[in-house]
Amino acid sequence: MMEPVPAMYLQNVQHMLPPQPQIQAPPAASDACLTIVHSLMCHRQGALHGGEDETFAKRAIESLVKKLKEKRDELDALIVAVTMSGRRPSKCVTIQRTLDGRLQVAGKKGFPHVIYARLWRWPDLHKNELKHISICQYAFDLKCDLVCVNPYHYERVISPAPPSRLVKDEFVHDCVQIDGEVSGDRKSGWDSGYGCNSSLPTVEHASKNYWDPPSMLQHNTMDQRPPSPIFRGQLHHPEHWCSIQYFELDHKVGETFKVLSRYHEVKIDGYVNPSELNRFCLGQLSNVHRTEASEKARLHIGRGVNLNLAGEGDVWLECASDHPVFLKSPYLDKEARREPGDAVHKIYPRTHLKVFDLQECYDTIKQKAQMAQTAARAQALAVSGSPDAPQAAMLIVGRDAITETGTISREGMAKIHAAANIGVDDLRRLCILRMSFVKGWGPDYNRQNIKQTPCWIEIQLHRALQLLDHVLQWTQMYEAGQDR
């Protein structure tokens, strides 16, 4: 049996032990702003993980605390959520939504829910990787007058990968991430994002059958819709599945590059030795008007991107470059729940994602063409003073556009006019992808449109354009039959 240790030795040992840390209770909303800010700063993630710098973080937290000082219950909810790392449920923490939806802090603009999620949860977060949880009543994408910035009311979106390929995107709307494979010292997973304004999950259509779906607009003229020619042998495949044009600023450079339908993959890179018929080397193209900005950007195209044709006409894109590319894609807009043309998607290196769906494009073209046809008829009836005009207008704008006296309201007429003015150019944009290398454009950049970027490409998808022609021909035949 061991002898007891003398008390004098225990006292000596206690002096040698490190002092026990004092656990400090989190502040309350009634405490001074400085105390609350200091506590919340201690929980930020950026200090260790390369996130927001300390000055920006402090300014952002100070701004939020001041906004919430009059809403003590929400400030308490923020303190509880952050200091307990979301382990206890908390209510919405709201601030007023600005006109453009963004918040300016220390000279930087960003979406408020993204700013605070970066500070306290994911320092490497990108704009469109967030999805609100079900209990959040004022989530950013609900477009309420108030915006919830509680970082624990959002989750980072993870997308399922298609078979044998790892998909990393960061949406929208600016992309979505999944754990990736380790390549060298770099692990792809949560280290890249993608620039839109809401979450943009990748939707896999590998098992999708191409069939003619029910009409998206159920009314009289929609009963006679163009039959789907896809997989019915009505239209032969075009000789080339896509054409690629290269631009520097607003100048087209070189000849149009066409990809034969027998090649299901095309490489677009910055090198100078085109050894394959399905490889478009931009490095070999000369331009006497080339600017210094274009020259510098071209040096960073590198391995560029790979476009893959899948199925009847779906397109996947892989960013093989060491720098991001920026894409205009109606398909990604819809996946991000954005209006078509409302977002520019930033796609990071080693990202592979679907950027075009043929069936969806065909359905949208039919919907818009038929909507324009119906709107033109309603407009003509309204101009002629026909008593059938209100009934025709309701098919386009609903009952709310009809006044108590049974006439079409001014707002209703404006919507009908806009729908009737959908033209061929509007429909062609659904069949085209535009992508810039290295430099982006849009609300987050000094360059407002793609023609201000140093180097970019336009990809015309021939199968989709062929289907567009089919719809337009059917529309003309149907109108001719109606006129008889």
Side-chain angles (χ1 to χ4, degrees):
M1 183 175 179
M2 296 182 60
E3 295 183 5
V5 179
M8 59 179 293
Y9 291 119
L10 287 175
Q11 291 176 359
N12 291 338
V13 170
Q14 287 175 353
H15 284 297
M16 296 170 63
L17 294 174
Q20 295 296 315
Q22 295 183 351
I23 301 176
Q24 194 170 13
S30 56
D31 290 341
C33 285
L34 189 63
T35 303
I36 298 172
V37 170
H38 176 75
S39 175
L40 296 178
M41 280 287 288
C42 293
H43 290 82
R44 74 185 182 96
Q45 299 295 311
L48 297 177
H49 301 288
E52 309 292 357
D53 61 81
E54 186 172 356
T55 302
F56 176 83
K58 187 174 182 181
R59 292 280 294 277
I61 294 173
E62 285 176 345
S63 172
L64 181 58
V65 170
K66 288 177 182 177
K67 286 183 173 73
L68 297 175
K69 259 303 184 178
E70 301 302 318
K71 299 188 286 187
R72 293 196 170 186
D73 56 335
E74 293 188 20
L75 182 53
D76 276 328
L78 175 69
I79 294 169
V80 168
V82 172
T83 57
M84 298 194 67
S85 301
R87 290 190 296 272
R88 180 185 298 178
S90 55
K91 64 183 294 183
C92 285
V93 179
T94 61
I95 61 174
Q96 193 70 34
R97 180 185 289 270
T98 59
L99 288 177
D100 66 352
R102 294 184 295 170
L103 180 69
Q104 182 161 336
V105 178
K108 298 180 182 179
K109 270 195 169 186
F111 298 106
H113 64 310
V114 176
I115 289 175
Y116 294 106
R118 282 174 178 163
L119 285 177
W120 288 309
R121 297 194 71 182
W122 306 288
D124 60 342
L125 180 73
H126 292 271
K127 295 178 188 175
N128 292 334
E129 298 177 338
L130 290 181
K131 178 182 178 182
H132 68 274
I133 61 176
S134 58
I135 65 170
C136 187
Q137 299 178 347
Y138 298 96
F140 179 83
D141 55 346
L142 296 180
K143 298 185 178 179
C144 304
D145 291 336
L146 299 174
V147 178
C148 178
V149 294
N150 186 335
Y152 292 94
H153 274 202
Y154 295 89
E155 57 188 12
R156 207 168 185 174
V157 184
I158 299 179
S159 166
S164 77
R165 293 302 295 263
L166 286 169
V167 177
K168 266 195 325 160
D169 15 345
E170 336 81 322
F171 302 124
V172 118
H173 199 94
D174 273 300
C175 307
V176 179
Q177 307 278 14
I178 68 165
D179 290 336
E181 58 192 356
V182 178
S183 175
D185 295 329
R186 177 184 173 87
K187 180 178 180 180
S188 59
W190 296 115
D191 60 344
S192 66
Y194 154 82
C196 309
N197 299 335
S198 61
S199 67
L200 199 62
T202 297
V203 179
E204 177 60 32
H205 296 279
S207 60
K208 182 174 181 179
N209 293 319
Y210 289 97
W211 56 286
D212 197 24
S215 172
M216 299 175 77
L217 298 172
Q218 300 294 338
H219 49 78
N220 293 339
T221 61
M222 294 302 112
D223 293 339
Q224 300 294 330
R225 58 187 184 272
S228 172
I230 305 179
F231 278 166
R232 292 188 183 174
Q234 297 175 353
L235 293 179
H236 295 291
H237 279 281
E239 182 182 1
H240 302 90
W241 72 267
C242 76
S243 296
I244 306 166
Q245 296 179 333
Y246 171 66
F247 296 83
E248 293 178 4
L249 300 175
D250 58 350
H251 297 290
K252 183 176 180 292
V253 179
E255 299 295 325
T256 300
F257 186 86
K258 296 183 179 181
V259 184
L260 291 167
S261 293
R262 68 172 181 266
Y263 296 109
H264 285 198
E265 181 182 29
V266 56
K267 300 176 182 178
I268 308 163
D269 58 41
Y271 302 129
V272 297
N273 183 25
S275 56
E276 306 161 45
L277 292 176
N278 60 334
R279 180 181 174 191
F280 188 17
C281 289
L282 305 180
Q284 65 178 338
L285 302 178
S286 60
N287 178 12
V288 294
H289 302 292
R290 180 165 293 150
T291 63
E292 183 181 357
S294 295
E295 192 69 60
K296 288 181 178 178
R298 284 165 54 83
L299 295 174
H300 298 291
I301 295 175
R303 292 184 296 274
V305 297
N306 298 327
L307 295 176
N308 294 276
L309 177 66
E312 183 76 7
D314 295 353
V315 179
W316 288 69
L317 181 145
E318 180 182 8
C319 181
S321 174
D322 292 330
H323 297 270
V325 296
F326 300 81
L327 183 71
K328 201 84 163 174
S329 163
Y331 171 78
L332 292 185
D333 292 339
K334 188 170 183 178
E335 291 299 299
R337 299 188 296 277
R338 300 298 298 267
E339 289 297 319
D342 193 34
V344 177
H345 305 271
K346 184 178 182 182
I347 303 176
Y348 277 73
R350 286 163 287 281
T351 299
H352 183 264
L353 72 162
K354 188 175 184 177
V355 295
F356 182 81
D357 185 285
L358 181 66
Q359 181 70 61
E360 188 174 282
C361 175
Y362 179 62
D363 293 341
T364 304
I365 288 172
K366 286 195 301 181
Q367 177 197 10
K368 288 184 177 293
Q370 295 161 357
M371 174 76 81
Q373 188 182 64
T374 306
R377 178 175 176 271
Q379 193 175 40
L381 292 172
V383 170
S384 65
S386 170
D388 296 330
Q391 183 68 26
M394 281 196 295
L395 299 176
I396 303 299
V397 293
R399 293 184 178 275
D400 293 341
I402 309 302
T403 65
E404 294 180 357
T405 59
T407 59
I408 306 172
S409 67
R410 181 177 299 178
E411 293 80 6
M413 281 302 301
K415 291 179 180 178
I416 291 171
H417 179 72
N421 281 343
I422 295 174
V424 176
D425 288 342
D426 299 305
L427 300 179
R428 278 181 59 84
R429 292 190 191 100
L430 300 171
C431 311
I432 292 173
L433 301 173
R434 284 185 163 187
M435 185 189 73
S436 66
F437 294 95
V438 185
K439 299 294 184 181
W441 81 96
D444 296 334
Y445 299 89
N446 295 328
R447 298 165 292 276
Q448 294 304 303
N449 62 69
I450 196 170
K451 293 184 179 181
Q452 295 173 336
T453 60
C455 47
W456 57 281
I457 57 174
E458 180 178 279
I459 305 156
Q460 298 184 7
L461 302 171
H462 292 191
R463 183 62 164 162
L465 291 168
Q466 185 185 42
L467 296 179
L468 170 58
D469 288 341
H470 172 81
V471 171
L472 295 177
Q473 289 171 14
W474 177 90
T475 303
Q476 291 169 1
M477 288 189 295
Y478 180 73
E479 288 177 345
Q482 291 290 96
D483 292 339
R484 288 177 186 151

